């Protein structure tokens, strides 16, 4: 496309604003690693929670949703909708425990909960595995998606667009991240989230208007389904078509198997960035950065509401319009068609804002991963194993250098990565089966370091083996579901056996953990009996009820908003009324717990 002077001014203003925020927070963030990586533990819940939402609002997300809805219908979104129960568990069962731990990174949990060489190995291995390998893989596919956006928006070749990302956008983001630390990331995320929401709502409005309005869009979708015959699914349905009945044969076919895998297994069994069972990654980092337990809990609650209930429908409406405007596309073409809709139907004056919005989404994700990844490498590897007695200023300088290293490695990964979708699936497969360990390690004293090590290694080996020697029939989503289920089964058996065949962690370590974190006493009775000075905590049942209410509230809001967007006000209103009832019950139930969380900023020495 041809950018006007106004378009370039919008882009330049955005870039200058982000750099200014990095410089503004430089003095505040460079005093110590706690300031640099955890904002001095002074962030409010709304700032930390919005930063979580902004980080998940990557440049690839609207494209992925567009391709998924185009090829699988609205129900295809269950691949990520199914992670809501896991996210709500983080809110009510784990956020307060993370905040009580006083850690700087979730990887450091290994040497808080476990002891000896296995704990040290686990901490160092996860620091490099997550901070370097997984982090750069995620950044690589996000960069790959952004290069596709730039190629369409600027009318340049894919190679030129990728070079623009690698040699300008990523280094620019790395610059303001290295200057401002987490404070800079939090505030730029807030600006970027608002900007991107304005953009995607504008694109959805223009896309639906191009089809003749919402009523015309729905009518044309119905006509297309009728023309395709009985085999065509309902593209606007929220759930897969189970009209064939729940037979044993059906349960091993698409879409039943994939749907059941998502809602019954994936959310608790699979590790995935931003949806880790029990919390973790940059979600835990934001919890560590909050002022106290109350702000930590509310930050993750706001994240889950915004992430699942408020954001999806502008993307979905654009995707439904794409089905009508550009029929007959492949999955890859359907993903890129999101930008095609924007370019064909947005006013020319809005194109600069569009591009600035996508740069904002890209920068938000990159900035978090650069800061988060460097926190692992510096705090949990360099400081722990290579140089333990240096000044805080030294570690901050090393953190800035590591940020530059991650920028370079990310560019190399993006240049080699062939498929964005393949990256998503591979990350899910190699984390399948590990989730139960991450849930139970807080609530069952018997979990030890070998439980985590065996789970990680087994999941990785099984996932790689199934890539080369698959005993299952099927392709695409069906084969993916079978691989995940097989990996979960083998990994679960392996880590349970490792747990029961190896010794428990030493009592002094378990006692220290129990005193600091105060988990529910029922899974820690042998240790609680030795800690008579600690008042026992019995809140698991209360927290599980909050979890159920919160999950029901968000799903009812998600589907209620969806019904309204799809021209079904009666059903939408009823669902939103149900969501309001769940919210009222949750507020009453949760207020009792929040009263037990006095404001404090606990940071163990």
């Amino acid at each position: 496309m041809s950018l006007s002077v106004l378009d370039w001014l919008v882009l330049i203003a955005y870039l200058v604003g982000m750099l200014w925020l990095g410089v503004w927070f430089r003095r505040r963030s460079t005093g110590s690693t706690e300031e640099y990586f955890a904002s001095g533990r002074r962030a409010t819940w709304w700032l930390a929670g919005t930063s979580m939402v902004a980080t998940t609002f990557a440049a690839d997300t609207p494209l992925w949703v567009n391709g998924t809805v185009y090829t699988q219908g609205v129900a295809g979104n269950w691949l990520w909708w199914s992670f809501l129960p896991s996210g709500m568990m983080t809110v009510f069962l784990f956020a307060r425990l993370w905040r009580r731990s006083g850690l700087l990174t979730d990887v450091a949990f290994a040497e808080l909960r476990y002891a000896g060489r296995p704990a040290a190995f686990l901490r160092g291995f996860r620091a490099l595995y997550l901070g370097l390998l997984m982090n750069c893989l995620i950044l690589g596919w996000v960069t790959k998606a952004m290069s596709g956006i730039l190629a369409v928006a600027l009318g340049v070749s894919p190679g030129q667009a990728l070079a623009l990302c690698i040699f300008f956008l990523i280094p620019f983001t790395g610059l303001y991240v290295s200057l401002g630390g987490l404070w800079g990331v939090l505030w730029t995320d807030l600006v970027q989230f608002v900007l991107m929401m304005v953009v995607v709502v504008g694109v959805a409005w223009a896309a639906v208007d191009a089809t003749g309005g919402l009523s015309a869009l729905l009518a044309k979708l119905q006509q297309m389904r009728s023309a395709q015959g009985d085999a065509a699914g309902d593209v606007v349905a929220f759930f897969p078509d189970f009209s064939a009945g729940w037979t044993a044969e059906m349960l091993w076919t698409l879409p039943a198997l994939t749907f059941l895998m998502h809602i019954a297994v994936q959310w608790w069994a699979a590790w995935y960035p931003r949806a880790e069972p029990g919390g973790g990654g940059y979600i835990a980092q934001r919890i560590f950065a909050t002022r106290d337990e109350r702000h930590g809990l509310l930050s993750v609650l706001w994240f889950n509401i915004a992430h699942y209930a408020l954001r999806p429908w502008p993307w979905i409406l654009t995707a439904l319009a794409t089905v009508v405007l550009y029929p007959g596309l492949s999955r890859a073409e359907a993903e890129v068609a999101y930008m095609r809709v924007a370019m064909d139907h947005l006013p020319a004056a809005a194109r600069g804002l569009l591009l600035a919005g996508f740069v904002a989404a890209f920068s938000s994700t990159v900035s978090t991963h650069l800061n988060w990844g460097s926190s692992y490498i510096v705090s949990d590897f360099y400081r722990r194993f290579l140089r333990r007695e240096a000044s805080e200023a030294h570690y901050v300088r090393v953190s800035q250098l590591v940020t530059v290293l991650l920028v370079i490695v990310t560019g190399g990964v993006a240049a080699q990565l062939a498929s964005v979708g393949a990256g998503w699936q591979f990350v899910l497969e190699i984390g399948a089966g590990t989730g139960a360990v991450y849930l139970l390690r807080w609530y069952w004293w018997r979990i030890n370091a070998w439980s985590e090590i065996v789970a990680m290694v087994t999941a990785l080996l099984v996932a790689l083996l199934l890539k080369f020697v698959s005993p299952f029939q099927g392709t695409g989503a069906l084969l993916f579901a079978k691989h995940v289920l097989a990996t979960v089964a083998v990994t679960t058996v392996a880590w349970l056996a490792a747990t029961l065949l190896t010794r428990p962690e030493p009592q002094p370590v378990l006692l220290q953990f129990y005193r600091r974190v105060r988990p529910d006493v029922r899974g820690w009775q042998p240790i609680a009996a030795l800690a008579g000075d600690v008042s026992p905590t019995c809140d698991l049942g209360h927290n599980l009820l909050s979890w159920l209410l919160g999950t029901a509230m968000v799903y009812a809001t998600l589907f209620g908003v969806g019904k309204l967007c799809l021209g079904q006000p009666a059903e939408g209103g009823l669902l939103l009324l149900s969501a309001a009832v769940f919210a009222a019950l949750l507020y009453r139930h949760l207020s009792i717990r929040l009263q037990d969380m006095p404001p404090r900023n606990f940071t163990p020495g």
Side-chain angles (χ1 to χ4, degrees):
M1 76 179 184
S2 178
L3 294 180
S4 66
V5 173
L6 180 60
D7 293 331
W8 283 112
L9 288 175
V10 169
L11 279 172
I12 293 171
Y14 164 75
L15 296 173
V16 171
M18 296 304 98
L19 184 60
W20 178 81
L21 284 173
V23 174
W24 176 265
F25 287 106
R26 181 182 181 185
R27 183 183 298 274
R28 181 183 294 189
S29 296
T30 55
S32 68
T33 51
E34 187 169 288
E35 289 285 354
Y36 191 82
F37 292 128
S39 65
R41 306 187 194 272
R42 298 194 302 275
T44 58
W45 65 266
W46 55 268
L47 183 61
T50 302
S51 179
M52 297 177 199
V53 187
T55 298
T56 62
F57 207 142
D60 64 312
T61 310
L63 277 66
W64 183 89
V65 171
N66 211 72
T68 297
V69 173
Y70 192 99
T71 55
Q72 302 176 40
V74 174
N77 287 286
W78 279 103
L79 176 64
W80 65 284
W81 285 351
S82 62
F83 278 116
L84 172 62
S86 178
M88 279 296 174
M89 273 198 168
T90 301
V91 176
F92 299 111
L93 273 73
F94 300 103
R96 289 174 295 114
L97 303 183
W98 278 119
R99 190 61 187 82
R100 288 175 194 168
S101 72
L103 297 171
L104 189 62
T105 70
D106 63 302
V107 169
F109 178 92
E111 291 192 299
L112 174 66
R113 175 66 171 79
Y114 313 125
R117 291 183 178 179
F121 168 79
L122 183 61
R123 181 177 181 178
F125 174 77
R126 283 179 62 83
L128 295 180
Y129 176 75
L130 298 177
L132 190 61
L133 176 63
M134 295 299 295
N135 196 37
C136 290
L137 177 63
I138 295 167
L139 285 173
W141 87 54
V142 171
T143 303
K144 192 76 172 180
M146 187 62 193
S147 68
I149 292 169
L150 291 178
V152 174
L154 300 179
V156 298
S157 70
Q160 291 172 324
L162 185 59
L164 183 59
C165 290
I166 293 173
F167 295 110
F168 178 69
L169 288 182
I170 295 178
F172 177 83
T173 305
L175 175 61
Y176 75 71
V177 170
S178 65
L179 291 173
L182 187 61
W183 274 120
V185 172
L186 292 175
W187 283 100
T188 54
D189 277 352
L190 179 63
V191 175
Q192 290 159 346
F193 175 69
V194 173
L195 176 59
M196 195 56 188
M197 281 303 299
V198 170
V199 168
V200 296
V201 169
V203 172
W205 186 280
V208 172
D209 184 66
T211 65
L214 182 61
S215 298
L217 169 62
L218 296 175
K220 291 174 182 177
L221 288 172
Q222 184 59 41
Q223 291 172 5
M224 295 175 71
R225 183 187 182 194
S226 300
Q228 293 170 0
D230 296 336
D234 186 0
V235 69
V236 299
F238 293 172
F239 295 91
D241 183 8
F242 298 123
S243 58
W246 292 89
T247 64
E249 181 180 357
M250 175 196 172
L251 292 178
W252 199 240
T253 60
L254 184 70
L257 182 67
T258 53
F259 178 73
L260 291 176
M261 185 270 291
H262 293 328
I263 65 169
V265 177
Q266 179 178 276
W267 66 268
W268 62 265
W271 179 95
Y272 186 76
R274 83 188 64 136
E276 299 91 339
Y282 56 79
I283 302 298
Q285 184 196 37
R286 301 304 193 271
I287 296 172
F288 298 147
T290 55
R291 296 177 175 179
D292 50 52
E293 293 176 25
R294 179 176 176 274
H295 279 266
L297 184 152
L298 291 176
S299 70
V300 192
L301 179 59
W302 163 237
F303 160 67
N304 280 278
I305 293 172
H307 178 61
Y308 291 102
L310 303 182
R311 272 192 333 184
W313 290 104
W315 302 333
I316 294 172
L317 288 174
T318 303
L320 293 174
T322 305
V323 174
V324 171
L325 295 172
Y326 310 108
L329 301 180
S330 66
R331 169 63 192 250
E333 292 170 333
E335 289 185 356
V336 180
Y338 184 93
M339 284 301 297
R340 186 175 169 185
V341 170
M343 301 309 303
D344 289 350
H345 301 288
L346 274 181
R351 291 176 179 176
L353 187 63
L354 168 73
L355 197 52
F358 270 102
V359 171
F362 175 70
S363 300
S364 176
T365 303
V366 170
S367 64
T368 284
H369 279 271
L370 292 177
N371 184 269
W372 167 54
S374 62
S375 72
Y376 284 166
I377 295 170
V378 175
S379 296
D380 298 299
F381 186 77
Y382 179 81
R383 187 172 191 167
R384 170 62 179 85
F385 297 103
L386 300 182
R387 190 167 179 182
R388 306 191 67 168
E389 301 295 336
S391 67
E392 287 295 311
H394 170 80
Y395 292 123
V396 171
R397 287 195 298 271
V398 173
S399 301
Q400 293 170 332
L401 292 174
V402 169
T403 300
V404 175
L405 171 66
L406 291 177
V407 168
I408 296 171
V409 175
T410 295
V413 171
Q416 298 298 319
L417 194 63
S419 170
V420 173
W424 281 53
Q425 289 193 357
F426 181 67
V427 170
L428 275 171
E429 288 181 28
I430 63 177
T434 62
V437 179
Y438 300 138
L439 295 173
L440 290 175
R441 63 186 183 177
W442 295 92
Y443 286 93
W444 186 26
W445 72 278
R446 191 61 180 81
I447 296 289
N448 59 30
W450 289 110
S451 308
E452 286 201 37
I453 293 171
V454 169
M456 288 180 61
V457 172
T458 304
L460 178 61
L461 292 178
V462 173
L464 291 175
L465 178 64
L466 291 176
K467 284 290 184 183
F468 298 101
V469 184
S470 177
F472 304 113
Q473 300 291 325
T475 58
L478 177 60
L479 189 61
F480 167 68
K482 293 178 180 179
H483 282 185
V484 169
L485 290 173
T487 306
V488 167
V490 175
T491 302
T492 301
V493 171
W495 74 255
L496 278 173
T499 302
L500 299 176
L501 293 174
T502 54
R503 295 180 178 180
E505 297 298 331
Q507 282 187 356
V509 173
L510 295 174
L511 273 169
Q512 180 186 22
F513 178 83
Y514 180 78
R515 285 193 171 99
R516 177 183 290 190
V517 177
R518 305 189 307 280
D520 189 282
V521 69
R522 282 162 287 196
W524 285 80
Q525 288 183 352
I527 307 304
L530 303 174
D533 56 318
V534 178
S535 298
T537 302
C538 297
D539 60 356
L540 182 59
H542 191 285
N543 294 336
L544 286 174
L545 179 56
S546 296
W547 168 64
L548 290 173
L549 290 172
T551 302
M553 175 190 70
V554 176
Y555 273 136
T557 305
L558 169 67
F559 299 135
V561 172
K563 290 293 185 181
L564 292 180
C565 290
L566 296 176
Q568 301 175 44
E571 295 180 32
L574 183 60
L575 283 166
L576 289 179
L577 179 61
S578 301
V581 172
F582 289 129
L585 293 172
L586 178 62
Y587 177 79
R588 181 177 179 182
H589 191 68
L590 185 59
S591 61
I592 300 174
R593 294 297 305 147
L594 293 179
Q595 292 172 4
D596 297 333
M597 302 180 202
R600 61 178 183 161
N601 190 12
F602 174 61
T603 306

